[in-house]
Amino acid sequence: MNRIVKKNIIAAMVLAAATIARADIVVDDFSGEVGSNLLPKGGAWLADADTWPAIGGSSKVTDPIEGSDLVKGDIYSGDNISKAYTDNGITSKIYVTADVSTTKKWAYAGWVMDFMKPAPLDTTKPVYELNSWEKRNEVDLTSCDALELTLSFDVDRMLWIDLFSPQIERMNALAPQWGWRYTGTGLMETKKFNLRGVTGPQQKWKDDANKVPLDLKTVTRIRWLYEGMKKGTATAAYDTVGHNLTIKKVAMTGTTCAITAMPGSSLPIVARSAAKSALAFSAANGSLRFDNVTSGLKVTVRNIAGNIVAEGAVNGSHPSLNVSALKNGVYMVQAGNGKAGSFTVLK
């Protein structure tokens, strides 16, 4: 049976408005609620295909064990999405078998992750009736350096991974979004997709007549789409075989990386660390409390400039460090010889 593994999240939550703490930000590692990411107003995961198989679609996304159609899961109730959650992340088998029709020479299937839940001004309509730019769930990623993904896809099959902007769609519906081509190796690997420079996002195809500039200030979602593309080909190489896609972690990285909500939306500050450790801590009431501490452990707290602002020792009898004197800001925590994580102080 598929199950969710509660991994050790090295994180501390402090609520405020507008910004997520500046650090490498783990958007999702699939240790939280099924169907939504780890952000405070975490957006939904959606399995997506060109049309539903029930009405003649040429693509589908299924869970790898039962073969259930994941696209039929509702975007905000997560109906079948839970069947894709396993110990290794969100796992699926993707089929793209033919063009949609003789007049629509394309097909796709894959996953979509919204950064935030919709917060529309017009609440008289259901979400699915709103234009993408009316949902008001856009985030600003301009302070981040890269999108970091841990994923696996079948060897030599290509994904199109993009950062979807509804404002690009609004300006010109024919303009391709900006993203990257990723070729699967069949192995789980961690890849960084730079947000700038020659290795940064590109448009899927060259179209000067419909070109719209990259806009990292109005991103709503990440999309992982398989279009039947095979390494070394410029057109679809369709087959009837299901191709395995697993997404294990999604992160935004950079020394000053912050995910900021669009004006008028609220997004609490959450400090998260991408570092691996057997140690976890929580921040509350002016102290850091460490779990799983048995022997003595030196703890050092630094500000974003790298200066030590608090230090002490914790152990099984005294697992907490007093940090009540710290001013508002983001702080990094070192426990023993390794980085334990980061936290935010808001008073």
Side-chain angles (χ1 to χ4, degrees):
M1 178 181 294
N2 291 356
R3 60 191 177 89
I4 304 169
V5 176
K6 295 294 182 183
K7 299 182 182 68
N8 191 9
I9 300 298
I10 304 166
M13 279 193 185
V14 186
L15 297 185
T19 307
I20 289 182
R22 293 188 173 185
D24 286 359
I25 300 168
V26 179
V27 180
D28 211 344
D29 63 0
F30 304 97
S31 60
E33 180 182 350
V34 171
S36 63
N37 64 42
L38 295 175
L39 300 184
K41 292 192 174 184
W45 282 88
L46 168 70
D48 193 15
D50 51 37
T51 52
W52 280 20
I55 57 174
S58 59
S59 65
K60 62 181 178 179
V61 184
T62 69
D63 83 85
I65 297 177
E66 299 178 7
S68 300
D69 182 3
L70 300 177
V71 178
K72 292 182 179 179
D74 179 79
I75 184 170
Y76 292 107
S77 69
D79 182 13
N80 283 335
I81 301 298
S82 61
K83 295 180 180 179
Y85 276 61
T86 70
D87 294 359
N88 291 319
I90 193 164
T91 302
S92 58
K93 193 177 285 287
I94 298 174
Y95 297 81
V96 177
T97 58
D99 291 331
V100 177
S101 68
T102 55
T103 58
K104 297 178 179 179
K105 296 292 185 180
W106 49 264
Y108 69 88
W111 287 93
V112 171
M113 186 211 74
D114 285 347
F115 278 92
M116 292 175 58
K117 294 177 182 177
L121 291 177
D122 183 358
T123 58
T124 62
K125 297 179 181 178
V127 171
Y128 59 81
E129 288 186 4
L130 298 172
N131 291 315
S132 57
W133 54 87
E134 295 176 319
K135 297 177 183 178
R136 293 176 59 81
N137 59 341
E138 298 165 355
V139 296
D140 184 343
L141 303 176
T142 53
S143 64
C144 301
D145 295 333
L147 165 66
E148 183 179 284
L149 301 175
T150 301
L151 76 170
S152 68
F153 193 47
D154 277 3
V155 63
D156 288 345
R157 290 284 163 172
M158 287 196 296
L159 291 175
W160 169 251
I161 302 171
D162 69 24
L163 297 171
F164 179 82
S165 167
Q167 297 304 328
I168 289 179
E169 181 180 69
R170 184 182 188 182
M171 291 167 62
N172 190 334
L174 298 178
Q177 297 284 333
W178 291 78
W180 307 264
R181 285 288 182 193
Y182 167 76
T183 301
T185 63
L187 303 174
M188 185 68 68
E189 58 182 349
T190 297
K191 301 282 289 186
K192 276 195 174 182
F193 300 86
N194 294 325
L195 297 183
R196 297 170 188 83
V198 294
T199 59
Q202 305 295 321
Q203 291 194 293
K204 189 183 295 186
W205 60 81
K206 182 176 175 60
D207 185 354
D208 292 335
N210 294 298
K211 189 173 183 178
V212 175
L214 173 65
D215 184 359
L216 293 174
K217 293 184 178 181
T218 60
V219 175
T220 60
R221 51 179 39 179
I222 304 173
R223 302 189 297 187
W224 295 258
L225 300 178
Y226 172 57
E227 300 161 301
M229 299 288 287
K230 190 176 181 180
K231 181 181 179 181
T233 62
T235 57
Y238 296 128
D239 58 23
T240 58
V241 177
H243 295 287
N244 297 291
L245 172 60
T246 299
I247 304 168
K248 191 171 184 179
K249 190 179 78 172
V250 180
M252 300 304 303
T253 68
T255 55
T256 61
C257 181
I259 300 177
T260 306
M262 65 174 290
S265 298
S266 61
L267 187 62
I269 289 180
V270 175
R272 300 188 184 276
S273 170
K276 297 292 185 181
S277 172
L279 187 68
F281 71 88
S282 57
N285 301 320
S287 68
L288 303 181
R289 181 179 177 85
F290 289 80
D291 301 327
N292 305 323
V293 177
T294 53
S295 58
L297 185 68
K298 181 181 178 180
V299 176
T300 303
V301 179
R302 299 177 186 271
N303 59 22
I304 57 175
N307 301 320
I308 296 176
V309 293
E311 58 184 340
V314 295
N315 55 46
S317 301
H318 302 283
S320 298
L321 177 69
N322 189 332
V323 292
S324 59
L326 296 182
K327 298 178 180 179
N328 287 2
V330 179
Y331 298 91
M332 311 303 164
V333 179
Q334 183 176 349
N337 294 322
K339 180 182 176 184
S342 56
F343 67 99
T344 301
V345 173
L346 291 172
K347 296 178 180 179

